Amino acid sequence: MNKELFLTLVGMKEEQALSEAEKINLNTKEFESFHKGKDFIDKYDELETEESRKKVVLKLIAYGLIKRNGGK
């Protein structure tokens, strides 16, 4: 994912995001979610084309919208 997308999601400049992240202590459930997200980013970076990356992100966004609207 490109840096601008990450920074837009957190609403911070890069330096602020890195500084704030250093201060965070995660509980067990948050730590598990972090590792799942970290695994996703690692796998995402292995996709060979921008088209593949866009398809994955669009499917995830749609999934998130469905979940937020009470769907499964």
Side-chain angles (χ1 to χ4, degrees):
M1 274 184 212
N2 67 37
K3 196 183 329 185
E4 291 75 24
L5 177 58
F6 284 135
L7 296 173
T8 298
L9 290 172
V10 296
M12 298 179 189
K13 298 215 179 278
E14 183 174 1
E15 298 79 20
Q16 181 186 6
L18 295 172
S19 174
E20 291 294 321
E22 285 182 25
K23 302 174 195 172
I24 295 173
N25 292 314
L26 301 174
N27 66 34
T28 302
K29 194 162 193 123
E30 292 166 338
F31 192 71
E32 290 172 10
S33 292
F34 166 76
H35 274 286
K36 288 178 183 178
K38 186 174 169 274
D39 289 343
F40 164 74
I41 290 171
D42 292 342
K43 294 259 185 236
Y44 176 88
D45 285 343
E46 293 173 8
L47 294 172
E48 295 180 8
T49 67
E50 185 63 27
E51 183 64 25
S52 290
R53 290 186 283 274
K54 285 180 181 180
K55 290 190 309 189
V56 169
V57 169
L58 183 55
K59 289 290 276 188
L60 285 169
I61 290 169
Y63 176 75
L65 291 169
I66 290 166
K67 291 292 283 186
R68 291 292 148 223
N69 288 328
K72 294 184 179 189

